[in-house]
Amino acid sequence: MLLSASAIQGQSLTYPLGGGPVATGHTALVRQDMWAIFNNQAAAAFLDHPETGLFTENRFMISNMNRVAVGAAIPLKKVVLMITADHFGGSGFSEMKFGAGCAMRFGQHFSAGLQLDYLGMSIGEGYGSLSSLSFEGGIYAVLTDKLSLGIHLFNPIKMKWFSTDEIIPVNIRGGLGYKPEPSLQIFAEINKSTMRAAVFCAGAEYCYQQQFFIRAGITTGPSRYTFGAGLRMNRLKIDVASSVHSWLGYSPQISFTYSFQE
């Protein structure tokens, strides 16, 4: 059962986070929001104010497949510092990742980010636990006033779990964002892991008066349909989402983002 759950989702700890990214088909590479500290650190370089966030998910409505992630971004003069914590699973099986990194903007059209990660995995009933260190990073580029590009790479040097010969999977994602008008964004990405075939993701987001958000998307391999909505209230933003797996059903998500300056 544990092996089946792992194969169904692939790498849980490289799964995009945030209600907005999940609702738009798990597309996350070109979003200049707080959740970039999990999804593509380079895009976090465009944050202007300190922000923190909380994300929760109940995957497939199964009690032992909950996920909780918290993080914070702190812009300084030339860089944005970030810290993240992510936990998935229950008493039988769990994964965790703690990260610390930074992102830097090079002019108005390009940025890069890097994060060092501590990884942990635990299997209950006496099977023990594993840990390791790795890193991830990405680039973000504004190609035109309507088109942007994001690329993210996780574990590029093929780190192994400590005291084992098992290599942690390498994951690479690349995608584009298209903004035909200020209120509409369209995203498309390809996600490839050494564990699985390439996955295509696409989604769209409509924003009304910078306060209300409506989102929808799709992900292949196997197919998942996603949808959600968001509400911005001064410094607080709430995003709800749900993904519908073609075999396993619903996975509801919700995220909260708080900015320390309006």
Side-chain angles (χ1 to χ4, degrees), residues 30 37 52 63 130 132 142 160 175 196 201-202 205 208 222 225 230 253 260:
V30 298
I37 67 176
T52 186
S63 60
L130 296 172
S132 186
V142 179
K160 299 179 180 179
R196 62 185 182 189
C201 312
E205 175 183 276
Y208 178 70
Y225 305 95
Q253 299 94 3
F260 289 91

Side-chain angles (χ1 to χ4, degrees), residues 140-198:
Y140 173 81
V142 179
L143 304 179
T144 70
D145 59 346
K146 295 183 178 181
L147 190 65
S148 55
L149 166 72
I151 298 174
H152 183 266
L153 185 60
F154 172 78
N155 192 37
I157 58 174
K158 299 182 179 180
M159 290 291 293
K160 299 179 180 179
W161 293 105
F162 294 151
S163 303
T164 75
D165 291 326
E166 183 180 352
I167 296 175
I168 300 170
V170 179
N171 191 84
I172 185 169
R173 293 181 291 142
L176 295 169
Y178 178 60
K179 198 170 186 177
E181 59 179 78
S183 61
L184 179 64
Q185 293 189 79
I186 301 171
F187 309 98
E189 296 181 9
I190 294 178
N191 186 339
K192 180 66 178 75
S193 166
T194 52
M195 282 185 60
R196 62 185 182 189

Side-chain angles (χ1 to χ4, degrees), residues 49-68:
H49 310 300
E51 294 189 29
T52 186
L54 167 68
F55 173 83
T56 64
E57 174 190 40
N58 181 211
R59 193 168 299 173
F60 313 130
M61 304 295 289
I62 298 174
S63 60
N64 284 326
M65 297 187 72
N66 291 316
R67 186 170 194 174
V68 178

Side-chain angles (χ1 to χ4, degrees), residues 2-142:
L2 287 173
L3 292 175
S4 299
S6 178
I8 287 168
Q9 185 55 53
Q11 295 166 266
S12 175
L13 294 179
T14 58
Y15 180 79
L17 295 186
V22 171
T24 54
H26 305 93
T27 57
L29 294 175
V30 298
R31 288 179 169 272
Q32 298 178 14
D33 60 12
M34 201 288 302
W35 298 105
I37 67 176
F38 291 94
N39 304 322
N40 182 10
Q41 291 76 23
F46 287 82
L47 294 175
D48 296 322
H49 310 300
E51 294 189 29
T52 186
L54 167 68
F55 173 83
T56 64
E57 174 190 40
N58 181 211
R59 193 168 299 173
F60 313 130
M61 304 295 289
I62 298 174
S63 60
N64 284 326
M65 297 187 72
N66 291 316
R67 186 170 194 174
V68 178
V70 294
I74 306 172
L76 300 178
K77 289 184 178 180
K78 295 184 178 180
V79 300
V80 175
L81 302 181
M82 59 194 77
I83 184 168
T84 63
D86 183 8
H87 181 273
F88 169 78
S91 58
F93 173 81
S94 66
E95 296 176 301
M96 66 186 70
K97 179 171 77 170
F98 300 97
C102 66
M104 179 177 292
R105 191 190 308 185
F106 301 91
Q108 298 298 316
H109 303 287
F110 183 79
S111 63
L114 186 67
Q115 178 172 287
L116 178 66
D117 296 321
Y118 171 81
L119 309 174
M121 180 172 63
S122 176
I123 302 176
E125 299 184 4
Y127 285 96
S129 60
L130 296 172
S131 62
S132 186
L133 292 174
S134 188
F135 69 93
E136 60 187 288
I139 60 173
Y140 173 81
V142 179

